[in-house]
Amino acid sequence: MKRILKINTGLTLIFVCSQLISWSQISFGYRSHFGGMKSYKEIMQYYNENRPWLDKEISSSAYMHGYEIGFGGSFNKAGYTLGRFYGQFGKSRAKGTDLNGDFTRIVRTRIFGIEPFDIWWTPLSVKHINIGFGVMPLGLQLFKIDTYLKEDGFERLPILDVPLYAFKESYMYVNLHLDFTFVKEELYNIHLQFFYTIGPPQKHNLYRTNQELNPVTHATFHRRTLMKVNNFGMKLIFSF
């Protein structure tokens, strides 16, 4: 009996999700995030401080941007998304000449995530723009940092053949957001969202990131290497 109930419940959920997706629009757009990542920024600043001979310092902004795609859409007073996938990317280079000659240090940051469900309510309308707020109650995100020297041939050889340091960790999070939508009947809609990501209470330790970037001086780095994942973000989505 329990097995039958589980099967029926699963089939019901599949049916409901399929119906919601069939009523949804395809949506895609631009996504970025900024702020937060204090320890990451301080490690990058420490890298620059210990290399005054750099011609080009590595960036410590931690700004990332990319894309997202999924199902969903906005109505005049509300909206929702289902199964939204996104990727965000950042890349910075430090260039200079040390005792060994010219070199280029590259640091890349990557975020990949999925947000199964998101809702917003936009009760206020000003000149055809609907304004409101919403919540994405549960998302899963993979955060990654890798760094390498260009002279090691990373861009020419397979990844496995090149010395490479990478930090990566996945975690769940919540987004609270402010929403602005423009809805053109049932043809298309445009959605501008400003969000704040609230990550898990635990923090991620970037000690090894600092050790890889600053092999000689990392022991004298007297700031925290534990990083919170909370940050601000923005996305501009087109649905049709």
Side-chain angles (χ1 to χ4, degrees):
M1 185 66 181
K2 290 183 178 179
R3 184 177 179 182
I4 294 174
L5 287 174
K6 288 181 180 179
I7 293 174
N8 288 337
T9 301
L11 291 174
T12 300
L13 289 173
I14 292 173
F15 175 77
V16 170
C17 290
S18 64
Q19 290 300 308
L20 285 173
I21 290 175
S22 68
W23 296 334
S24 300
Q25 296 174 307
I26 297 174
S27 65
F28 64 92
Y30 170 81
R31 178 179 181 130
S32 68
H33 101 215
F34 45 89
M37 296 177 64
K38 179 181 178 182
S39 295
Y40 171 85
K41 296 176 182 178
E42 290 181 344
I43 290 172
M44 298 305 128
Q45 290 169 357
Y46 188 66
Y47 178 88
N48 294 328
E49 290 169 3
N50 284 278
R51 293 162 179 82
W53 38 264
L54 284 173
D55 299 320
K56 181 181 185 299
E57 293 187 341
I58 205 158
S59 173
S60 60
S61 70
Y63 173 74
M64 280 182 274
H65 62 97
Y67 65 90
E68 73 172 60
I69 186 169
F71 296 96
S74 295
F75 308 99
N76 285 326
K77 298 296 182 181
Y80 69 96
T81 63
L82 290 171
R84 187 172 298 275
F85 171 82
Y86 65 89
Q88 296 181 147
F89 313 93
K91 186 174 184 179
S92 182
R93 299 169 184 257
K95 296 182 179 181
T97 303
D98 62 7
L99 297 176
N100 297 316
D102 295 337
F103 82 98
T104 301
R105 163 68 69 178
I106 298 173
V107 177
R108 303 188 307 176
T109 51
R110 300 287 188 271
I111 290 180
F112 297 99
I114 185 168
E115 297 175 349
F117 188 66
D118 192 1
I119 55 175
W120 54 90
W121 181 49
T122 51
L124 181 63
S125 181
V126 179
K127 294 184 178 180
H128 305 295
I129 302 297
N130 307 304
I131 304 172
F133 57 90
V135 60
M136 192 289 300
L138 182 63
L140 180 63
Q141 189 172 90
L142 174 68
F143 175 65
K144 179 178 179 180
I145 301 172
D146 59 43
T147 178
Y148 58 93
L149 294 175
K150 186 177 180 181
E151 286 66 28
D152 288 339
F154 181 89
E155 297 181 342
R156 299 187 298 274
L157 299 175
I159 292 177
L160 295 179
D161 294 341
V162 179
L164 173 70
Y165 169 74
F167 164 89
K168 62 180 179 179
E169 191 164 321
S170 61
Y171 52 89
M172 293 182 288
Y173 66 96
V174 174
N175 278 349
L176 304 177
H177 45 78
L178 181 65
D179 301 271
F180 302 84
T181 66
F182 173 79
V183 179
K184 184 64 175 179
E185 298 176 348
E186 297 182 358
L187 298 177
Y188 66 88
N189 59 80
I190 300 172
H191 183 190
L192 175 63
Q193 182 182 101
F194 298 97
F195 61 87
Y196 181 66
T197 298
I198 303 174
Q202 70 265 26
K203 302 174 183 179
H204 306 313
N205 198 336
L206 301 184
Y207 176 83
R208 287 194 59 213
T209 302
N210 184 34
Q211 187 178 40
E212 177 68 17
L213 286 170
N214 302 295
V216 178
T217 60
H218 72 276
T220 59
F221 181 79
H222 299 306
R223 282 163 279 184
R224 294 170 64 86
T225 57
L226 296 175
M227 186 186 75
K228 291 183 178 180
V229 298
N230 295 13
N231 57 73
F232 292 94
M234 181 276 290
K235 52 182 166 181
L236 180 62
I237 304 298
F238 179 74
S239 303
F240 62 94

